[in-house]
């Protein structure tokens, strides 16, 4: 179902609720590429090429509740996975490779 903007005028209360549910952009978190490449058992240049071509899958998750302010960054290549937990400044709090 499509709603035309001229037919739908949210009240201020509804707009506030909708705004609170809207996704918020993630902070820019930078991590050392060499660390991730090593964890995935790849040479740095190979890792960089694979990132550019999209061959390495990534996922960034934002912590909630007790984990608020933390981010889990996951990297996959083939059957290898590397995860790290960081704060918003990119400081590594934990890491795990499998």
């Amino acid at each position: 179902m499509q709603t035309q903007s001229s037919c739908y005028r949210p009240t201020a209360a509804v707009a506030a609720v909708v705004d609170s549910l809207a996704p918020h952009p993630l902070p820019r978190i930078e991590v050392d590429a060499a660390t991730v490449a090593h964890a995935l058992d790849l040479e740095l240049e190979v890792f960089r090429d694979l990132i550019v071509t999209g061959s390495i899958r990534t996922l960034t998750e934002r912590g909630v509740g007790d984990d608020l302010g933390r981010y889990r960054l996951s990297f996959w290549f083939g059957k290898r996975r590397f995860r790290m937990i960081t704060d918003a400044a990119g400081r590594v709090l934990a890491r795990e490779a499998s």
Side-chain angles (χ1 to χ4, degrees):
M1 176 169 79
Q2 293 182 342
T3 305
Q4 294 179 343
S5 60
S6 61
C7 298
Y8 177 69
R9 301 215 191 294
T11 65
V14 171
V17 170
V18 170
D19 286 345
S20 71
L21 297 175
H24 300 284
L26 293 169
R28 181 177 174 88
I29 299 173
E30 294 184 20
V31 296
D32 182 38
T35 300
V36 181
H38 178 74
L40 294 175
D41 198 27
L42 296 169
E43 295 294 326
L44 182 56
E45 290 305 316
V46 172
F47 172 77
R48 288 182 175 153
D49 290 342
L50 292 170
I51 282 284
V52 169
T53 63
S55 298
I56 293 181
R57 294 176 294 137
T58 63
L59 175 67
T60 303
E61 300 168 277
R62 181 193 317 266
V64 296
D66 291 342
D67 292 322
L68 192 63
R70 294 181 182 171
Y71 299 86
R72 179 166 57 192
L73 313 173
S74 300
F75 302 84
W76 289 272
F77 179 67
K79 294 184 178 185
R80 290 174 259 169
R81 180 190 74 196
F82 177 62
R83 284 187 173 162
M84 59 176 32
I85 309 292
T86 72
D87 62 12
R91 287 184 290 261
V92 177
L93 307 174
R95 61 181 77 192
E96 168 195 355
S98 61

